[in-house]
Amino acid sequence: MEPSVISYEKVDFIETASGNKVSRKSVLCGSQNIHLNGKSIIKAGAILRGDLALIRIGRFCIIGENAVLRPPYKRFKGGFAFFPLTIGDNVFIEDHSVINAASIGSNVMIGAGCVISKRCILKDNCRILPGTVLAPDTVVPPFAVFGGSPGRYIGELPESVAEIHRAHSSSYYKRFQPHLLPPLTTTQGGADGRLN
């Protein structure tokens, strides 16, 4: 059975030269500080705060609806400073998640409604279950599954998870296609083919 097409209205997305598909209903603050490496999808309602600090997003990343990506910050005596947010390749961030991490590795799945607090580090090949809230400065090791509120270690992923996450994000991108309108028919038209 072939996976179904995930359709979208072509007028609702901008496709860049490097294959990124960015919803016109997303908010990219400080777009000069948002670097998309290619073939990534940013869905409607997503907010990327590049006005605070640099955001780097790898290839085949999917940013879900109403997700918020905000660079991390640290308070100092007399003020605070923002730091860059780096996201690797093949990262899937589901809808309504809030990301304030310092770094997210490659081949990472973040479930819907998660809160990844400031300065968290998610290593390669890990999974965050839906609804998880990670405390500030949490480090998620490779091949780990975290879940709950507060987020804690739940289990381990097999070594094949890297290939599974790569295939999932690549397949999702390929299936994310513009909605095709059905062709006009002339069955109700006159002899010259025009509609009456």
Side-chain angles (χ1 to χ4, degrees), residues 35-92:
H35 297 208
L36 301 170
N37 285 343
K39 297 192 176 183
S40 291
I41 300 169
I42 299 175
K43 293 187 176 181
I47 300 172
L48 280 68
R49 295 296 309 271
D51 58 327
L52 302 174
L54 182 66
I55 299 175
R56 285 190 188 96
I57 299 175
R59 296 175 53 79
F60 292 107
C61 292
I62 289 85
I63 311 299
E65 291 183 8
N66 301 309
V68 177
L69 274 63
R70 186 175 51 220
Y73 66 92
K74 184 162 178 83
R75 291 186 191 274
F76 297 104
K77 189 175 184 178
F80 62 92
F82 285 93
F83 299 97
L85 166 59
T86 303
I87 298 175
D89 298 334
N90 307 302
V91 174
F92 202 107

Side-chain angles (χ1 to χ4, degrees), residues 95-111:
D95 302 344
H96 306 287
S97 290
V98 178
I99 310 298
N100 204 7
S103 173
I104 298 174
S106 295
N107 309 314
V108 174
M109 296 280 280
I110 299 173

